[in-house]
């Protein structure tokens, strides 16, 4: 019905013939979003914008440096894959983002709402403060009353608008019979307004309109800071989710079509090309290839896959095209189920209560009791309801947690801003406080400490003739081992020999003819060698004695520095990996880690972390694979790199945005200092309460003292937080 | 004291203008990219000739 009631946009009667939906579907400019992790300066903005605008079909491009993102309006036939090479050519790393996933952050309604309330509170408090200064300076009688009435006229609507978030939170807490920080705030605001109005109508001396407004202003400032920190984290988290634009090639009656993963259903035939990631759980129907399972199991050696092999979502197809039949799609894939399990485990895990919550729990009842006691005391002493109420209101206003409301948000904003600039993203509000307590760091190997790209280790041991032959064979394949072998050989100045009939056998290796003999480079079983524990590619020279090329994972940049810095800081460092012993030992010895465990199953990792926790250690887990997710949840605090699987990123408290691991050590240090600042801020707030509260209870607090005490404590707390930047 | 009847409304009006200006900047997305905007002033693209 509603659709028919909406007035038509068409101006002429003839246009009404066109159905509305058809009008809406006219091709409009495509909106593309690209993530640009590398941009940092003005020159980058100009280069990127100029480069994108020069592409024919691009209508406009604008870089957002805060979010490190470019938004592009372009003709509908322009795709992100056309633009990424342009930026790569200019020297910028670019990734496509899914605009659908990002849409949620485009309109920042809540933040804008808070900012408006903050502006109104600021405007009102400035004006009321001007009037109050005149009163404090000595305005009396009719003038003072007039100033008070004008203040009331400004303050009542301003607080009615600005303080709504506090009213709402306090009400939701009271409805379930609980106390939170907002209850004393709202009580103080209401009591201050009521007594001030009462005083004004009786032409009394003390009115607290300015105090009520500055209180609202400072607390809103705290709320806004808090919101901004979390908004940055959330938008970056959404960006991470949007990075994987999920598409799959669907085979229907032999016709290939590219569809979104969400539209796949069980039984569909899906083609996965070499280099592609499995979109669903399924079974191989045809084709032979090798699978990279390192993200799921931690093993670095590729696994053979042929018809009948069961595959799960997230594995990477390496050498040959595979046709798979989907057995589980979308939310039912093992990958997603793991993510969901982690989410459940997380909501069930005993929530760490932050320092602020602990403080609030003590604070709210204490303030109310103190205020009630002073009301009763003064009423019994003077039998004057007006005086007693005035003093109770003064106590509530003075003790109101301005500094407490600012202490934690100001510090966490400063700290997470600093870490964000270093490439770390704090997802959880209490992650910093937990990170500060860490004394043991557990690393995963594959994909975390190592980049997952193999490096040839025994180049010097292989005769030159073999290398020339191996290079010729390796250059015919895109397998990661072949590519690494070819690169290493080329760098060593080797040139390939002439070979003929080169053919890549998916799942096995490359084969060719050299001087009449059949030569092969590939899996051990294929060339007739015995498999070894180390990642090895075998060369069969046609004489029956295969030669092995050994590989080891290359370390991630900053891995050695991060481990060294953590050891220097007196932390215990462990390496837990699902990979084979030889590979783990090699990495551990290169990094100077003495304590390592190989071939650890996901359960072993959890068990190890739990036993460390039982011994009283606070564990930081750094991992990226599906086999780490449970361990990430079990640890006190967890970090995962942005290249990790969705499930692992969901499970971790902190996400590393760049390739570099060095910020981990710095994060521990920043977290420690942030916690120290928070404690200092609490001490400052307490100190000022210790001075001001007795004055209020004794009935000596004038609005001037309340305003002074409140502002100085808020400002000192904010300045103290800024020392972290 | 007569002067107050002018000064108070004037101060409120001027403050209100500032508030309205701020609300306008919030509504027109001018706080979306503070980092980038602070760098863009260094852009010399428009220095010699005004933006067409």
């Amino acid at each position: 019905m509603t659709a028919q009631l909406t007035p038509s946009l068409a101006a002429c009667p003839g246009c009404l013939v066109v159905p509305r939906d058809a009008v809406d579907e006219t091709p409009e400019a495509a909106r593309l979003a690209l993530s640009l992790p590398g941009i940092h300066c003005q020159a980058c903005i100009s280069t990127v914008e100029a480069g994108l605008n020069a592409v024919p079909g691009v209508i406009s491009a604008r870089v957002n440096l805060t979010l490190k993102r470019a938004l592009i309006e372009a003709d509908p036939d322009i795709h992100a894959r056309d633009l990424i090479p342009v930026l790569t050519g200019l020297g910028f790393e670019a990734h496509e983002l899914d605009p659908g996933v990002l849409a949620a952050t485009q309109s920042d309604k809540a933040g804008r709402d808070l900012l408006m309330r903050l502006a109104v509170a600021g405007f009102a408090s400035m004006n009321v403060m001007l009037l109050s200064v005149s009163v404090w300076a000595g305005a009396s009688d009719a003038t003072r009353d007039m100033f008070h009435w004008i203040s009331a006229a400004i303050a009542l609507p301003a607080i009615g608008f600005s303080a709504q978030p506090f009213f709402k939170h306090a009400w939701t807490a009271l409805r379930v019979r609980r106390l939170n920080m907002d209850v004393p705030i709202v009580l103080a605001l209401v009591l201050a307004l009521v007594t001030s109005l009462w005083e004004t109508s009786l032409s009394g001396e003390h009115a607290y309109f300015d105090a009520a407004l500055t209180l609202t202003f400072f607390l809103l400032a705290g709320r806004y800071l808090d919101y901004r920190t979390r908004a940055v984290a959330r938008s970056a988290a959404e960006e991470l989710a949007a990075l994987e634009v999920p598409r799959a090639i669907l085979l229907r009656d032999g016709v290939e079509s590219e569809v979104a993963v969400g539209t796949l259903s069980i039984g569909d035939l899906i083609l996965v090309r070499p280099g592609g990631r499995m979109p669903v759980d399924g079974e191989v129907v045809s084709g032979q290839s090798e699978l990279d399972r390192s993200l799921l199991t931690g093993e670095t050696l590729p696994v053979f896959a042929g018809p009948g092999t069961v595959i799960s979502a997230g594995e990477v197809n390496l050498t040959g095209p595979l046709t798979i039949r989907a057995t589980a799609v979308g939310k039912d894939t093992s990958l997603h189920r793991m993510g969901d399990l982690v989410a459940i485990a997380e909501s069930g895990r005993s929530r760490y209560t932050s320092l602020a919550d602990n403080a609030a729990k003590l604070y709210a009842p204490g303030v109310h009791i103190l205020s009630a006691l002073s009301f009763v005391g003064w009423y019994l002493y003077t039998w004057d309801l007006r005086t007693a109420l005035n003093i109770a209101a003064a106590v509530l206003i003075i003790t109101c947690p301005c500094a407490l409301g600012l202490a934690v948000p100001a510090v966490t904003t400063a700290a997470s801003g600093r870490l964000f600039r270093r490439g770390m993203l704090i997802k959880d509000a209490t992650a910093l406080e937990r990170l500060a307590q860490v004394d043991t760091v557990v690393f995963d190997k594959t994909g975390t400490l190592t980049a997952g790209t193999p490096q040839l280790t025994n180049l010097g041991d292989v005769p030159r003739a073999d290398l020339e032959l191996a290079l010729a064979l390796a250059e015919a394949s895109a397998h990661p081992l072949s590519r690494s072998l070819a690169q290493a050989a080329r760098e060593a100045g080797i040139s390939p020999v002439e070979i003929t009939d080169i053919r890549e056998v998916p799942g096995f290796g490359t084969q060719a003819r050299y001087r009449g003999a059949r030569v092969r480079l590939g899996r051990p079983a294929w060339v007739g060698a015995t498999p070894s524990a180390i990642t090895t590619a075998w060369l069969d020279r046609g004489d029956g004695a295969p030669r092995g090329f050994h590989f080891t994972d290359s370390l991630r940049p900053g891995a050695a520095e991060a481990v060294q810095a953590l050891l220097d800081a007196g932390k215990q460092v462990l390496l837990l990996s699902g990979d084979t012993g030889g590979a783990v030992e090699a990495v551990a010895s290169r990094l100077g880690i003495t304590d390592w465990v190989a071939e650890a199953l996901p359960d072993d990792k959890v068990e190890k972390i739990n036993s460390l926790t039982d011994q009283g250690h606070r564990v930081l887990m750094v991992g990226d694979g599906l086999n780490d997710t449970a361990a990430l949840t079990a640890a006190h605090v967890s970090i995962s790199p942005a290249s990790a699987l969705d499930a692992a990123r969901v499970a971790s408290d902190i996400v590393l945005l760049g390739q570099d691991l060095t910020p981990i050590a710095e994060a521990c240090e920043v977290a420690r200092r942030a916690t120290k600042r928070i404690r200092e801020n609490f001490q400052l707030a307490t100190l000022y309460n210790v001075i001001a509260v007795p004055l209020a209870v004794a009935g000596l607090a004038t609005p001037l003292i309340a305003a002074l005490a409140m502002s100085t404590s808020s400002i000192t707390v904010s300045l103290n937080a800024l020392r972290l930047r | 004291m007569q002067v107050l009847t002018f000064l108070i409304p004037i101060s409120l009006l001027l403050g209100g203008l500032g508030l309205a200006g701020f609300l306008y900047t919030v509504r027109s997305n001018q706080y979306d990219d503070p980092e980038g905007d602070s760098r863009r002033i260094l852009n010399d693209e428009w220095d010699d000739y005004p933006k067409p």
Side-chain angles (χ1 to χ4, degrees):
Chain A
M1 284 304 282
T2 41
Q4 288 169 350
L5 291 173
T6 32
S8 166
L9 288 173
C12 64
C15 304
L16 286 173
V17 183
V18 184
R20 261 178 59 82
D21 288 347
V23 174
D24 285 346
E25 275 172 19
T26 46
E28 55 180 48
R31 286 186 66 82
L32 302 169
L34 294 178
S35 167
L36 304 161
I39 58 166
H40 57 87
C41 65
Q42 206 287 313
C44 311
I45 301 182
S46 315
T47 323
V48 169
E49 287 185 353
L52 288 175
N53 282 322
V55 177
V58 171
I59 299 164
S60 76
R62 188 167 173 94
V63 171
N64 186 326
L65 190 63
T66 316
L67 299 171
K68 293 193 190 293
R69 198 182 281 174
L71 290 172
I72 300 134
E73 268 184 64
D75 291 341
D77 51 338
I78 300 277
H79 292 285
R81 54 175 177 272
D82 309 326
L83 299 175
I84 290 173
V86 175
L87 291 178
T88 318
L90 291 170
F92 292 98
E93 186 187 347
H95 305 284
E96 185 183 0
L97 294 170
D98 189 347
V101 180
L102 285 179
T105 39
Q106 291 296 343
S107 66
D108 177 20
K109 208 165 170 297
R112 208 172 270 193
D113 197 53
L114 267 179
L115 201 56
M116 297 255 194
R117 295 187 201 284
L118 185 64
V120 169
F123 160 78
S125 69
M126 277 191 292
N127 281 289
V128 171
M129 196 60 87
L130 271 180
L131 297 167
S132 306
V133 168
S134 325
V135 175
W136 300 332
S140 55
D141 309 321
T143 322
R144 184 187 60 212
D145 286 347
M146 183 181 73
F147 284 173
H148 278 168
W149 279 119
I150 298 171
S151 300
I154 300 170
L156 286 175
I159 286 184
F161 173 70
S162 301
Q164 271 172 28
F166 306 116
F167 294 143
K168 274 183 200 142
H169 284 137
W171 175 238
T172 43
L174 281 180
R175 236 191 354 210
V176 293
R177 296 173 189 284
R178 275 182 48 241
L179 277 181
N180 63 5
M181 200 69 131
D182 288 332
V183 176
I185 293 171
V186 167
L187 195 65
L189 286 179
V190 170
L191 208 58
L193 288 182
V194 170
T195 52
S196 303
L197 265 183
W198 191 11
E199 281 288 295
T200 306
S201 65
L202 296 173
S203 58
E205 260 181 80
H206 293 332
Y208 289 100
F209 294 114
D210 58 318
L213 276 167
T214 35
L215 180 68
T216 320
F217 177 73
F218 280 126
L219 288 172
L220 277 172
R223 285 286 145 94
Y224 185 65
L225 283 179
D226 205 35
Y227 174 82
R228 280 294 294 242
T229 331
R230 276 182 289 127
V232 168
R234 205 180 47 231
S235 81
E238 258 169 35
E239 178 162 310
L240 287 178
L243 268 177
E244 285 165 23
V245 186
R247 297 217 181 91
I249 304 165
L250 180 65
L251 283 179
R252 197 165 276 162
D253 307 326
V255 185
E256 292 178 16
S257 55
E258 204 177 272
V259 297
V261 164
T263 61
L264 294 175
S265 52
I266 292 173
D268 278 348
L269 286 180
I270 297 150
L271 179 72
V272 183
R273 297 220 168 92
R277 192 173 271 199
M278 301 297 167
V280 293
D281 284 1
E283 191 185 331
V284 176
V285 180
S286 66
Q288 279 180 337
S289 179
E290 280 175 294
L291 295 178
D292 178 359
R293 292 201 155 141
S294 58
L295 269 180
L296 278 74
T297 59
E299 36 183 337
T300 39
L301 273 178
V303 181
F304 175 79
T309 309
V310 176
I311 52 120
S312 24
E315 294 174 348
V316 178
N317 184 8
L318 286 176
T319 44
L322 287 177
T323 308
I324 53 177
R325 174 173 285 119
T327 53
V329 295
K331 296 261 177 274
D332 299 323
T333 59
S334 48
L335 188 63
H336 260 276
R337 275 208 311 274
M338 189 63 130
D340 292 347
L341 278 182
V342 168
I344 292 167
E346 214 174 32
S347 62
R349 108 172 143 187
S350 61
R351 296 288 303 159
Y352 176 88
T353 48
S354 67
L355 285 168
D357 287 344
N358 284 335
K361 230 176 260 167
L362 280 174
Y363 192 86
V367 167
H368 287 154
I369 291 167
L370 192 67
S371 159
L373 280 181
S374 38
F375 175 79
V376 172
W378 276 91
Y379 186 66
L380 291 178
Y381 179 60
T382 58
W383 293 106
D384 180 5
L385 195 65
R386 187 177 150 197
T387 320
L389 202 60
N390 258 337
I391 285 166
V395 169
L396 264 185
I397 290 168
I398 285 209
T399 54
C400 224
C402 262
L404 221 52
L406 270 173
V408 179
V411 172
T412 46
T413 308
S416 41
R418 183 179 164 151
L419 290 178
F420 186 66
R421 284 194 296 276
R422 290 297 315 257
M424 295 192 100
L425 183 73
I426 315 284
K427 270 176 58 201
D428 191 285
T430 60
L432 272 178
E433 288 169 29
R434 282 181 282 144
L435 191 58
Q437 301 166 343
V438 162
D439 60 357
T440 306
V441 186
V442 176
F443 282 102
D444 166 54
K445 187 181 77 74
T446 318
T448 308
L449 282 175
T450 64
T453 50
Q455 265 184 340
L456 186 62
T457 51
N458 61 340
L459 182 80
D461 309 340
V462 182
R464 198 176 171 89
D466 288 353
L467 266 175
E468 287 170 354
L469 180 57
L471 174 60
L473 284 163
E475 288 200 324
S477 164
H479 190 281
L481 294 186
S482 292
R483 274 212 300 239
S484 166
L485 174 63
Q487 195 196 345
R490 282 278 180 196
E491 277 169 12
I494 309 285
S495 46
V497 294
E498 285 269 329
I499 47 174
T500 50
D501 300 338
I502 311 173
R503 189 163 66 90
E504 183 165 18
V505 185
F508 295 101
T510 36
Q511 170 177 322
R513 291 216 154 263
Y514 176 58
R515 290 181 185 163
R518 191 196 63 190
V519 287
R520 282 174 164 177
L521 177 72
R523 300 182 72 82
W526 191 52
V527 298
T530 41
S532 74
I534 325 169
T535 315
T536 311
W538 294 91
L539 174 70
D540 175 12
R541 292 161 295 182
D543 55 6
R547 177 171 290 285
F549 290 93
H550 301 305
F551 293 89
T552 177
D553 255 2
S554 63
L555 288 179
R556 241 181 210 267
E561 290 88 340
V563 169
Q564 196 51 48
L566 287 170
L567 288 171
D568 287 347
K571 294 186 183 4
Q572 193 185 342
V573 179
L574 277 86
L575 180 58
L576 286 187
S577 176
D579 209 349
T580 48
V584 180
E585 188 178 7
V587 169
S589 66
R590 269 162 82 190
L591 290 171
I593 300 175
T594 48
D595 211 346
W596 53 269
V597 179
E599 288 175 47
L601 297 174
D603 290 345
D604 300 339
K605 294 193 176 189
V606 176
E607 217 165 279
K608 180 76 184 161
I609 284 176
N610 283 338
S611 76
L612 280 169
T613 312
D614 291 342
Q615 288 163 32
H617 293 294
R618 304 280 193 177
V619 184
L620 161 66
M621 170 82 199
V622 190
D624 77 321
L626 193 58
N627 55 334
D628 300 316
T629 38
L632 287 168
T633 322
H636 192 53
V637 54
S638 48
I639 299 181
S640 69
S643 57
L645 283 177
D646 263 352
R649 285 200 309 248
V650 168
S652 56
D653 303 302
I654 300 171
V655 176
L656 258 181
L657 296 173
Q659 282 288 316
D660 199 347
L661 286 182
T662 8
I664 291 180
E666 190 186 335
C668 293
E669 174 60 18
V670 170
R672 205 183 51 74
R673 276 173 33 210
T675 321
K676 202 173 135 218
R677 292 277 175 278
I678 291 177
R679 283 182 203 284
E680 276 172 15
N681 277 352
F682 283 160
Q683 284 158 7
L684 276 174
T686 318
L687 182 73
Y688 121 87
N689 270 353
V690 165
I691 298 170
V693 168
L695 289 178
V697 174
L700 296 171
T702 62
L704 177 62
I705 291 179
L708 277 180
M710 216 150 62
S711 312
T712 41
S713 85
S714 295
I715 290 164
T716 43
V717 162
S718 310
L719 287 179
N720 190 33
L722 280 180
R723 286 165 60 202
L724 254 184
R725 280 182 75 87
Chain B
M1 283 300 127
Q2 202 59 44
V3 71
L4 286 178
T5 46
F6 295 104
L7 285 184
I8 289 174
I10 288 172
S11 81
L12 283 178
L13 187 77
L14 288 178
L17 274 180
L19 181 68
F22 181 74
L23 294 186
Y24 163 74
T25 59
V26 173
R27 281 182 190 281
S28 55
N29 299 337
Q30 297 190 24
Y31 297 91
D32 277 6
D33 184 15
E35 190 107 340
D37 290 339
S38 66
R39 309 282 171 106
R40 273 174 204 275
I41 54 167
L42 299 173
N43 193 338
D44 51 9
E45 214 172 309
W46 313 111
D47 267 1
D48 297 330
Y49 305 101
K51 195 172 174 173

